[in-house]
Amino acid sequence: MDLSAIVADIAAEMAEAPDRGTPADYIPALSDIDPQRFGIAIVEADGQCHLAGDAEESFSIQSISKVFALTLALGAVGDQLWRRVGREPSGTAFNSIVQLETEHGIPRNPFINAGAIVVADVILGNHEPREAIGELLRFVRALAGEDDIVIDAAVAQAEMETGHRNQALAHYMRAFGNLHHPVERVLGVYFHFCALAMSCRQLALAGRYLMARGVNPGAGRSVVSPQRARRINALMMSCGHYDGSGEFAFRVGLPGKSGVGGGILAIVPGRASIAVWSPGLNARGNSQLGTLALERLVQRTGWSVFDPQAG
Ligand SMILES: NC(=O)CC[C@H](N)C(=O)O
């Protein structure tokens, strides 16, 4: 299978795609990104990299950061986390508040904003916000094996100034006692996590541990147990695209996590870590062409977890 030819074909098709979605308009720093951009990167289990399009261009990974934050939070408190956040798909938009009242301030899962805000609260722990932010940045750099990954402070600041729905979510959970730190401090951590800037190549490298049963192949060391890697992949499959998770499983069939910057991280357990980027979003806030590109990829490779894999 010539993966370099496949990603080149996919990039060529995406370059001509007429319906590109619309970049996120509620975060000022993201609203004017060129929807014509497209990148794809595949890192195979043996370390081979296959890149096409704008695969080396940095973009705001936004909610994809929630995968790495969840990994850190589980490392900090283990399964105690699940007393404060659930493991079920919400069936609602990523920034929805509707279930918090009837479910007593406990978010459905760690990937909707409410769940990720609780995760940030856990990581904050007894640290200062800048220490918690630095911990995630160092963690992601180590996963990717790249020290030039940064947090875009302008993007974080833009969300601090406009993130009113997240303010509402955080205050609502604090009222239920499910936020242990002042809202401003927790959201400062959360918004900086979301403002991580990475390329498709760096993001695919960072996702390798989820492909390799919890081991970071670049460093040859365990990041999480095989069971925890499996469980994070399961949550990405069922919750990673919010109220579009069923559609993503139907069309792509891989554990995946989207972000409103237009990126998607997808995992082929045991085979590959994949990142795609196209800034235009569909109605559910997931990358329009990122989803189509991954659909094309699994059609060409047979990598969907629902397809029988060759031995
Ligand atoms: N789905 C996303 O990427 C949303 C992340 C964004 N920072 C928000 O909180 O709304």
Side-chain angles (χ1 to χ4, degrees):
M1 191 184 318
D2 185 345
L3 288 173
S4 289
I6 289 173
V7 296
D9 290 347
I10 290 171
E13 180 186 352
M14 296 309 122
E16 301 303 321
D19 179 4
R20 310 190 72 83
T22 307
D25 59 4
Y26 73 100
I27 303 175
L30 301 184
S31 58
D32 59 1
I33 295 177
D34 180 1
Q36 194 57 39
R37 311 309 296 273
F38 175 82
I40 182 168
I42 299 175
V43 178
E44 292 190 81
D46 64 5
Q48 285 189 77
C49 246
H50 310 277
L51 311 179
D54 301 311
E56 298 279 16
E57 177 90 13
S58 275
F59 62 91
S60 190
I61 70 167
Q62 290 296 318
S63 283
I64 302 170
S65 68
K66 295 170 178 175
V67 173
F68 306 119
L70 172 62
T71 304
L72 274 189
L74 288 169
V77 300
D79 288 342
Q80 300 296 313
L81 178 69
W82 306 121
R83 293 181 180 176
R84 299 183 56 190
V85 60
R87 304 182 297 231
E88 289 295 332
S90 67
T92 62
F94 60 82
N95 53 9
S96 172
I97 198 169
V98 293
Q99 291 160 338
L100 281 186
E101 180 169 13
T102 53
E103 299 180 8
H104 314 295
I106 307 291
R108 275 287 179 91
N109 65 69
F111 294 147
I112 54 176
N113 286 10
I117 291 167
V118 168
V119 166
D121 189 58
V122 168
I123 294 170
L124 186 52
N126 298 321
H127 305 300
E128 288 300 312
R130 59 179 166 72
E131 293 168 323
I133 294 163
E135 184 184 2
L136 186 79
L137 180 57
R138 287 190 300 276
F139 179 55
V140 172
R141 284 176 173 173
L143 290 175
E146 304 238 331
D147 287 338
D148 63 348
I149 294 168
V150 298
I151 287 173
D152 185 330
V155 172
Q157 186 55 36
E159 279 214 270
M160 287 297 286
E161 292 164 5
T162 61
H164 306 300
R165 289 188 72 150
N166 287 314
Q167 294 273 356
L169 292 170
H171 280 290
Y172 212 81
M173 291 187 290
R174 187 138 165 91
F176 278 99
N178 197 20
L179 217 62
H180 298 169
H181 300 85
V183 164
E184 284 307 309
R185 288 167 72 86
V186 178
L187 288 183
V189 171
Y190 168 72
F191 289 139
H192 280 80
F193 285 0
C194 289
L196 266 166
M198 300 173 76
S199 67
C200 289
R201 185 180 63 82
Q202 291 171 329
L203 183 55
L205 288 168
R208 287 174 296 175
Y209 73 108
L210 296 172
M211 161 195 69
R213 293 171 51 81
V215 172
N216 174 357
R221 51 186 292 213
S222 173
V223 179
V224 295
S225 67
Q227 180 192 67
R228 184 162 288 172
R230 172 170 53 78
R231 287 174 166 181
I232 293 170
N233 280 331
L235 285 165
M236 289 168 72
M237 175 68 85
S238 61
C239 308
H241 283 69
Y242 316 111
D243 50 345
S245 297
E247 175 76 4
F248 189 80
F250 182 83
R251 289 179 56 189
V252 179
L254 295 175
K257 182 70 201 82
S258 64
V260 290
I264 300 174
L265 172 66
I267 303 297
V268 189
R271 281 181 181 266
S273 175
I274 308 159
V276 292
W277 171 54
S278 177
L281 307 178
N282 62 26
R284 294 182 168 134
N286 302 315
S287 177
Q288 176 95 353
L289 293 184
T291 303
L292 179 59
L294 288 167
E295 185 175 25
R296 290 283 186 271
L297 181 64
V298 298
Q299 286 166 344
R300 295 276 299 265
T301 59
W303 278 353
S304 167
V305 299
F306 303 113
D307 275 337
Q309 295 300 312

